[in-house]
Amino acid sequence: MATSELYPFYSKEDLTKKFVSKSIKDVTLPAAVIDRQKVKRNCDRMLDACEELKFRWRAHIKTHKTTELTKLQVGDGNGPANLIVSTIIEAENVAPLLLEYKAAGRAVNVLYSFPVTPGAVERLSQLNKSLGQNGLSLMVDHPTQLESVIAIHKATSIAPSIFLKIDMGGRRAGVVPETEACSQLITSILSLEKAGQAIFLGLYSHAGHSYSSNSQDSALDYLRLEFESLLTTLSTVHAQSPSKQLILSVGATPTTTSIRNLLLPNTPETPAITALKKTISQIQSQNALIEIHAGVYPLLDCQQLATNALPTTGPNAQLTFNDIAFTIIAEVASLYPSRGTDGTAEALLGAGSLALGREPCKAYSGWGILTPWNRVGVSMPSVPLEEYKGWKVGRISQEHGILTWDGEKGEEEPLEVGMKVRVWPNHACIAGRGFDWYFVVDGGREGREDEIVDVWPRWRGW
């Protein structure tokens, strides 16, 4: 039995009957809201960029954990549906969709991106058997993990695919390139492949530390370093198996979205772009396949705006407050005139760390930014996050969010007890974790922007 069967899962049919056509102002709060127009636009931008650059695409689904948004991430058509999951429960829940794609003739593959452990073998074996040949990929960064790969093959008679995780500086997981440990692990994987127990599919990196980026060039440089770390490792592979073709899979949302800088119209070519193009050409000359991956990009959040990985102003702006598709809606519970710094006002919001997360953002001191929604006379911010002045969630505890004013005393935008407001969270992956479903609205429906058009149940557990 898949562990997903043990977790209560709300019926989409029941949720849509209860909520569709209602206003998000009339639901129990706090609640998680996704704007379908914005999330589809963000997904389409990524798919279009991959198509134009002729890169392979692998969608990480750990941010939202829904079937509906997975469909938007992989797009329509007959192209491959390649996914990444952080937990086995995600793979178990998305498996029916992948089998549906497979039955329609679409190639499918899901990569379990946590290095495989003995405790995961039983459930991964069930997935391997269900998805069939080439359906499951595993991550390894240590030789003892290959014992679990062998166990999965033994249990299913299907050779799972392997990505070798490379540490390109993030120091979270992965083996360091050009080390004896890396060379020996490559030898072991090639031996496993020769024995028919696994398929050596590719090399994988994740530049999680690219969240420190503060410009387009900075994000592009991190992306180039990802490519270079895998290119170096590819040389080690070719020293042992000269004709071996591998996928080089790179990405974190800052680096992956930054690839779109190569396609912006009327944009001068910076040294960062020139250097990246040179590295890409080197990879292509080695007969390797380029794949990019990312997860939070469909929703976006304050952390992503703070990277400035894409233009934030001007005609090519693609990383603005208006591109964030995910918000938390909550209610103002109390007002505290003159309690704040220098006598500014504060307010109590019914959403704390369990609703918003406790992830910092380097661009400002706070835990979320108040959107202009439902506040008469307040406009969408037109400045980068670093220059924002207005209401923010300045302090949080479990269920309490304290709204503080980041501006001049006496210029506070009015709030009222009982007012419904929406917050752009710092990190969508964490903020979404406390909710069992997302209310879906469509900002393109003029006059009906607050009407719930769908409800997306969210998978739970590990």
Side-chain angles (χ1 to χ4, degrees):
M1 175 186 293
T3 301
S4 58
E5 298 178 20
L6 302 177
Y7 283 88
F9 190 64
Y10 293 90
S11 161
K12 181 179 176 70
E13 182 180 2
D14 291 345
L15 290 170
T16 54
K17 283 182 180 179
K18 182 176 179 64
F19 293 114
V20 167
S21 79
K22 290 186 177 181
S23 170
I24 53 173
K25 295 179 181 177
D26 298 327
V27 300
T28 301
L29 304 180
V33 179
I34 289 177
D35 187 318
R36 183 172 63 185
Q37 180 193 44
K38 294 179 180 180
V39 81
K40 187 177 187 306
R41 182 176 66 208
N42 292 337
C43 289
D44 287 347
R45 283 171 171 171
M46 187 68 76
L47 291 169
D48 291 345
C50 287
E51 183 176 0
E52 188 164 350
L53 292 166
K54 295 181 171 53
F55 289 172
R56 293 185 172 215
W57 166 241
R58 188 175 290 268
H60 208 318
I61 64 176
K62 57 106 175 181
T63 297
H64 56 87
K65 302 177 190 285
T66 70
T67 298
E68 294 86 349
L69 187 39
T70 300
K71 291 179 179 179
L72 293 179
Q73 284 184 280
V74 299
D76 298 325
N78 298 319
N82 295 321
L83 304 179
I84 310 175
V85 298
S86 287
T87 61
I88 300 177
I89 204 89
E90 295 162 32
E92 290 169 339
N93 276 290
V94 83
L97 175 64
L98 293 180
L99 291 174
E100 179 183 323
Y101 285 150
K102 185 176 179 180
R106 197 167 180 178
V108 301
N109 183 269
V110 59
L111 168 63
Y112 175 50
S113 64
F114 197 84
V116 60
T117 61
V121 166
E122 182 178 355
R123 292 168 68 192
L124 289 173
S125 294
Q126 292 174 351
L127 278 166
N128 198 38
K129 187 178 296 185
S130 174
L131 295 175
Q133 191 69 42
N134 302 317
L136 177 68
S137 293
L138 305 172
M139 193 80 78
V140 300
D141 69 356
H142 193 273
T144 57
Q145 294 157 3
L146 298 179
E147 297 174 9
S148 295
V149 176
I150 294 170
I152 291 170
H153 173 259
K154 183 177 181 181
T156 62
S157 299
I158 299 171
S161 297
I162 290 178
F163 274 92
L164 174 60
K165 179 68 176 285
I166 300 301
D167 179 4
M168 50 77 59
R171 301 179 66 184
R172 186 174 75 175
V175 62
V176 177
E178 298 185 290
T179 61
E180 186 62 25
C182 183
S183 180
Q184 289 180 358
L185 187 51
I186 287 170
T187 301
S188 298
I189 296 172
L190 289 170
S191 296
L192 217 60
E193 181 173 55
K194 187 175 181 180
Q197 296 172 304
I199 299 169
F200 192 3
L201 189 59
L203 308 175
Y204 182 102
S205 70
H206 171 71
H209 51 311
S210 65
Y211 279 56
S212 65
S213 300
N214 55 18
S215 68
Q216 294 159 248
D217 283 354
S218 176
L220 287 164
D221 281 340
Y222 273 114
L223 179 60
R224 175 177 53 79
L225 291 172
E226 281 197 88
F227 277 130
E228 288 179 354
S229 69
L230 299 192
L231 186 58
T232 297
T233 309
L234 182 63
S235 297
T236 305
V237 175
H238 284 166
Q240 301 185 43
S241 180
S243 62
K244 180 63 181 174
Q245 185 180 58
L246 290 176
I247 296 171
L248 306 192
S249 188
V250 302
T253 290
T255 57
T256 300
T257 55
S258 76
I259 201 74
R260 301 209 298 266
N261 287 297
L262 276 61
L263 305 172
L264 297 177
N266 304 314
T267 301
E269 182 165 314
T270 65
I273 291 177
T274 301
L276 176 60
K277 286 182 175 179
K278 181 179 179 181
T279 300
I280 290 172
S281 295
Q282 290 176 323
I283 293 172
Q284 292 169 337
S285 70
Q286 295 296 313
N287 195 32
L289 304 173
I290 293 176
E291 176 182 274
I292 59 174
H293 55 256
V296 74
Y297 75 95
L299 300 182
L300 296 177
D301 51 34
C302 290
Q303 286 187 349
Q304 293 305 318
L305 263 60
T307 67
N308 294 289
L310 285 165
T312 57
T313 59
N316 291 324
Q318 296 185 20
L319 196 57
T320 70
F321 286 105
N322 201 40
D323 292 303
I324 301 178
F326 176 59
T327 54
I328 303 298
I329 182 171
E331 192 170 17
V332 176
S334 192
L335 303 174
Y336 310 107
S338 305
R339 192 180 77 174
T341 303
D342 299 326
T344 55
E346 293 188 342
L348 177 63
L349 184 68
S353 59
L354 293 187
L356 298 173
R358 194 182 281 272
E359 293 274 303
C361 178
K362 64 187 176 69
Y364 76 105
S365 60
W367 310 99
I369 299 290
L370 219 58
T371 82
W373 178 82
N374 201 34
R375 297 195 289 138
V376 177
V378 181
S379 301
M380 181 70 70
S382 58
V383 297
L385 178 56
E386 294 84 355
E387 301 174 22
Y388 169 82
K389 298 294 181 183
W391 288 107
K392 66 181 182 181
V393 182
R395 304 190 302 277
I396 50 173
S397 54
Q398 183 169 321
E399 302 294 352
H400 299 64
I402 307 303
L403 294 174
T404 61
W405 177 253
D406 189 7
E408 296 296 324
K409 177 183 177 181
E411 296 182 0
E412 294 93 334
E413 297 156 354
L415 297 174
E416 299 176 2
V417 172
M419 176 183 282
K420 311 291 176 63
V421 295
R422 287 162 77 176
V423 177
W424 288 304
N426 284 350
H427 192 174
C429 304
I430 307 302
R433 182 67 183 87
F435 300 93
D436 290 318
W437 58 79
Y438 299 101
F439 292 115
V440 181
V441 297
D442 192 327
R445 306 173 84 222
E446 188 174 352
R448 303 171 67 184
E449 296 90 345
D450 296 341
E451 182 179 325
I452 298 169
V453 297
D454 204 354
V455 185
W456 294 350
R458 192 179 193 279
W459 309 319
R460 301 171 58 216
W462 284 266

